[in-house]
Amino acid sequence: MLGNFVYSNPTTLYFGEEAKKNLAEALKGFGKRVLLTYGGGSIKRNGIYDDVVSVLKDAGKEIVELSGVMPNPTLEKVQEGSEIVRANNIDLILAVGGGSTVDYAKAVSVTAGYDGDAWQRYWVEQADLEPSQKLTPIGVVLTMAGTGSEMNGGSVITNHDKKLKIGRGFPDEVSPRFAVMNPRYTFTVPQRQMVAGIFDTMSHIMEQYFSGDDDSTSDYIAEGLMRSLIHSSRVAIKNPEDYEARSNIMWTATWGISSIVGSGKPQDWEVHMIGHAIGAYTNATHGFTLSAVSPTYYRHMTYNETKRFARFAQVVWGINPDGKTEKQLALEGIDALASWIDEIGAANNLSSLGVTEDMFDGIADATIIAGNGYKRLDRDELISILRESM
């Protein structure tokens, strides 16, 4: 471990089949006015909405509802929520849903308490919170595993007018205060969404794993999480209601982007930068924008680094190294990743997501070049990666 870091986590997690029993206790530390925000209404059809509202009413909370949070939350929707928070003096935002709903709640919390242009300051400029910034606390009832947003300060928002999708990590003050995590709630999402969440989780871990070259405990943790995720994904694809597999997927998603995996490491995140730009142009499912480009991107990274990818092949995928060069082994590991993408039914090309060649220049312009991985992309190579991923 060569890096210097600070690790903290302010979120209380209530995990398991009886997690809902803790919601009433978790609500006690907050005022009466609760903004209940959720997506398209599936929680009303599957009973989760009734469960949550019952607890809120028994706790004497005044409920203001905001539905219609979309999979890629928009700036316009954030502004709508911010106005509701201000007008109703909301004491707690309770996000019921997956990562998009949780990301949305964080964006609303930050925007509602800022008098200026929050999009420009906090997402475009990535500026620090103002010392006087008012924040509305957030709680979570999680229904989908993948983003890990339930235990971090990350928030990704789409500005359709500017064709930009930008994420940023806020400090601990913005992280949810608590998260209720019943793996059975994830049974309610369609299999396609389950698969997208699985690959999003895998990508989070790989973004942190494929960086640095020291002997880091964080990398050993990452390898264990990836192996668990691969195994559980195979079980869940065959039986989506296998509780053990779905609970392992949910727990892996939370820890995969909790910052513990990346502690002491530079971290890459370029696949996510490309995926966000693709999403801004196509509104495609986030996890699939990552799966469609990951194998191609990582093959390009092997031009500069093979040792870590060879280790990935052996430790994560169990590939026998006998008689193979380090480069051959590295590429076999990436091939194994591509085969797994096909096996679980994730997107394996950009064409299936609605990307066309005339979008390449715009996507390249919208992609932030992080430059923290094994190789810093230039524009020509970025467009090559897009073309090879079609």
Side-chain angles (χ1 to χ4, degrees), residues 84-207:
I84 291 172
V85 167
R86 294 190 195 108
N88 293 275
N89 296 313
I90 295 297
D91 297 306
L92 174 72
I93 303 171
L94 185 61
V96 182
S100 292
T101 306
V102 183
D103 277 20
Y104 174 76
K106 295 172 195 172
V108 168
S109 172
V110 171
T111 303
Y114 183 65
D115 291 333
D117 185 343
W119 165 261
Q120 180 65 32
R121 176 180 173 86
Y122 293 130
W123 280 269
V124 176
E125 298 175 7
Q126 301 278 301
D128 293 338
L129 293 177
E130 286 194 332
S132 60
Q133 171 81 56
K134 181 183 177 182
L135 297 169
T136 306
I138 299 163
V140 174
V141 177
L142 196 66
T143 64
M144 178 181 171
T147 69
S149 191
E150 64 275 6
M151 198 173 76
N152 62 50
S155 178
V156 182
I157 299 300
T158 299
N159 185 328
H160 281 307
D161 288 343
K162 297 185 181 297
K163 289 192 179 297
L164 291 173
K165 181 177 179 181
I166 302 177
R168 68 150 301 160
F170 287 105
D172 284 352
E173 301 96 293
V174 181
S175 296
R177 303 292 182 85
F178 66 85
V180 173
M181 302 172 63
N182 181 347
R184 290 202 181 277
Y185 282 177
T186 69
F187 292 3
T188 64
V189 304
Q191 184 158 320
R192 186 175 184 275
Q193 286 182 262
M194 178 188 76
V195 170
I198 287 170
F199 195 84
D200 193 15
T201 300
M202 186 70 167
S203 185
H204 290 158
I205 301 169
M206 292 191 298
E207 296 274 30

Side-chain angles (χ1 to χ4, degrees), residues 6 25 29 50 61 81 120 132 139 159 214 226 247 255 283 286 305 309 368 380 385:
V6 174
E25 184 67 27
D50 290 338
K61 303 297 182 181
Q120 180 65 32
S132 60
N159 185 328
D214 60 319
M226 286 188 282
S247 65
W255 285 103
N283 206 35
H286 172 62
E305 164 67 24
F309 289 97
I368 297 169
D380 289 342
I385 289 169

Side-chain angles (χ1 to χ4, degrees), residues 2 34 79 100 102 112 119 126 130 146 161 189 200 235 273 275 291 294 297 322 334 346 363:
L2 298 181
V34 176
Q79 291 166 338
S100 292
V102 183
W119 165 261
Q126 301 278 301
E130 286 194 332
D161 288 343
V189 304
D200 193 15
V235 175
M273 298 303 100
S291 62
S294 286
Y297 175 79
D322 291 350
I334 297 169
I363 291 171

Side-chain angles (χ1 to χ4, degrees), residues 24-343:
E25 184 67 27
L27 291 168
K28 287 182 179 179
F30 306 96
K32 293 191 68 172
R33 296 174 181 267
V34 176
L35 176 63
L36 177 62
T37 187
Y38 52 93
S42 62
I43 64 168
K44 289 189 174 181
R45 295 189 294 274
N46 58 38
I48 296 173
Y49 172 88
D50 290 338
D51 285 351
V52 172
V53 168
S54 175
V55 174
L56 288 171
K57 288 182 176 179
D58 288 347
K61 303 297 182 181
E62 297 176 12
I63 305 170
V64 178
E65 291 193 28
L66 175 58
S67 62
V69 179
M70 57 287 292
N72 293 306
T74 64
L75 179 59
E76 292 81 3
K77 191 69 177 177
V78 170
Q79 291 166 338
E80 177 190 349
S82 301
E83 291 169 4
I84 291 172
V85 167
R86 294 190 195 108
N88 293 275
N89 296 313
I90 295 297
D91 297 306
L92 174 72
I93 303 171
L94 185 61
V96 182
S100 292
T101 306
V102 183
D103 277 20
Y104 174 76
K106 295 172 195 172
V108 168
S109 172
V110 171
T111 303
Y114 183 65
D115 291 333
D117 185 343
W119 165 261
Q120 180 65 32
R121 176 180 173 86
Y122 293 130
W123 280 269
V124 176
E125 298 175 7
Q126 301 278 301
D128 293 338
L129 293 177
E130 286 194 332
S132 60
Q133 171 81 56
K134 181 183 177 182
L135 297 169
T136 306
I138 299 163
V140 174
V141 177
L142 196 66
T143 64
M144 178 181 171
T147 69
S149 191
E150 64 275 6
M151 198 173 76
N152 62 50
S155 178
V156 182
I157 299 300
T158 299
N159 185 328
H160 281 307
D161 288 343
K162 297 185 181 297
K163 289 192 179 297
L164 291 173
K165 181 177 179 181
I166 302 177
R168 68 150 301 160
F170 287 105
D172 284 352
E173 301 96 293
V174 181
S175 296
R177 303 292 182 85
F178 66 85
V180 173
M181 302 172 63
N182 181 347
R184 290 202 181 277
Y185 282 177
T186 69
F187 292 3
T188 64
V189 304
Q191 184 158 320
R192 186 175 184 275
Q193 286 182 262
M194 178 188 76
V195 170
I198 287 170
F199 195 84
D200 193 15
T201 300
M202 186 70 167
S203 185
H204 290 158
I205 301 169
M206 292 191 298
E207 296 274 30
Q208 299 164 91
Y209 179 73
F210 290 125
S211 64
D213 58 8
D214 60 319
D215 184 28
S216 170
T217 297
S218 297
D219 291 329
Y220 292 89
I221 295 171
E223 288 164 350
L225 290 172
M226 286 188 282
R227 290 170 65 187
S228 173
L229 182 66
I230 292 162
H231 170 75
S232 295
S233 72
R234 288 169 168 158
V235 175
I237 290 298
K238 293 178 181 176
N239 179 10
E241 295 193 2
D242 186 296
Y243 179 83
E244 186 172 61
R246 297 300 290 270
S247 65
N248 284 333
I249 291 167
M250 193 179 212
W251 196 233
T252 299
T254 300
W255 285 103
I257 193 172
S258 65
S259 79
I260 196 168
V261 173
S263 293
K265 293 175 60 64
Q267 305 184 30
D268 188 355
W269 295 106
E270 196 58 52
V271 170
H272 270 68
M273 298 303 100
I274 299 170
H276 287 167
I278 294 166
Y281 270 77
T282 65
N283 206 35
T285 300
H286 172 62
F288 293 158
T289 68
L290 307 176
S291 62
V293 301
S294 286
T296 303
Y297 175 79
Y298 288 127
R299 289 186 186 105
H300 276 251
M301 291 302 101
T302 62
Y303 299 155
N304 278 37
E305 164 67 24
T306 54
K307 184 177 179 181
R308 175 55 55 85
F309 289 97
R311 173 175 166 174
F312 175 69
Q314 292 179 78
V315 178
V316 176
W317 298 105
I319 296 172
N320 188 338
D322 291 350
K324 297 166 186 171
T325 66
E326 191 171 78
K327 180 66 176 282
Q328 287 173 329
L329 193 56
L331 291 175
E332 280 196 36
I334 297 169
D335 288 344
L337 173 67
S339 294
W340 178 66
I341 288 169
D342 290 340
E343 180 184 350

